[in-house]
Amino acid sequence: MSVNVYSYHDHLALFRDLLEQRRVRDRRFSHRRLGRSMGFSSPSMLRKILRGECRLTAPVVGNLCALLGLAKPERAYVWTMVQLSQTPDLRSRERLERRLLRLRLGRVAHM
């Protein structure tokens, strides 16, 4: 089973599903190992991120997406979901919602 990035509206659910998919394919995979690959000093940092306890930054999202093998358009979609989750301003949220829709539709148009 392959995860369709564009079917998600929650970046944390997407990350959890992608990590589970990776774990199933690679028995040696662990959150701790991936966290080390990302340069986290705390072995629990990735778990905190997945529970929404830490605010995500562009470099962390980019690094995680790259390690999970996401293509550039998928990374843009994920980063937009992250921004949407962190933006309290209604006008900015509407702009980000429109961007998500464009990214989703653009993906369908290029299939």
Side-chain angles (χ1 to χ4, degrees):
M1 180 195 125
S2 182
V3 173
N4 177 2
V5 171
Y6 300 100
S7 68
Y8 284 81
H9 300 280
D10 176 5
H11 63 282
L12 296 177
L14 171 64
F15 286 146
R16 284 190 295 267
D17 289 350
L18 287 168
L19 291 168
E20 177 60 20
Q21 177 179 281
R22 176 112 177 241
R23 188 194 62 74
V24 167
R25 285 190 309 214
D26 179 2
R27 289 286 183 198
R28 295 177 304 161
F29 173 80
S30 70
H31 289 107
R32 184 174 293 219
R33 177 181 278 176
L34 182 61
R36 264 188 266 131
S37 297
M38 294 179 68
F40 296 144
S41 57
S42 169
S44 64
M45 183 57 125
L46 187 57
R47 290 222 184 260
K48 288 180 180 179
I49 287 171
L50 295 175
R51 288 191 300 243
E53 296 173 6
C54 298
R55 186 175 174 88
L56 289 171
T57 62
V60 169
V61 172
N63 196 1
L64 182 55
C65 287
L67 288 169
L68 291 171
L70 297 182
K72 193 172 181 177
E74 293 171 323
R75 293 178 197 184
Y77 185 82
V78 171
W79 177 238
T80 304
M81 280 195 293
V82 171
Q83 289 177 301
L84 182 61
S85 75
Q86 296 177 352
T87 303
D89 177 60
L90 181 60
R91 184 167 282 159
S92 295
R93 290 182 64 78
E94 289 171 348
R95 180 182 52 79
L96 291 166
E97 289 275 3
R98 286 191 303 273
R99 182 162 190 235
L100 281 177
L101 183 59
R102 280 194 312 274
L103 289 167
R104 236 182 265 124
L105 292 174
R107 181 219 173 239
V108 171
H110 291 101
M111 286 184 77

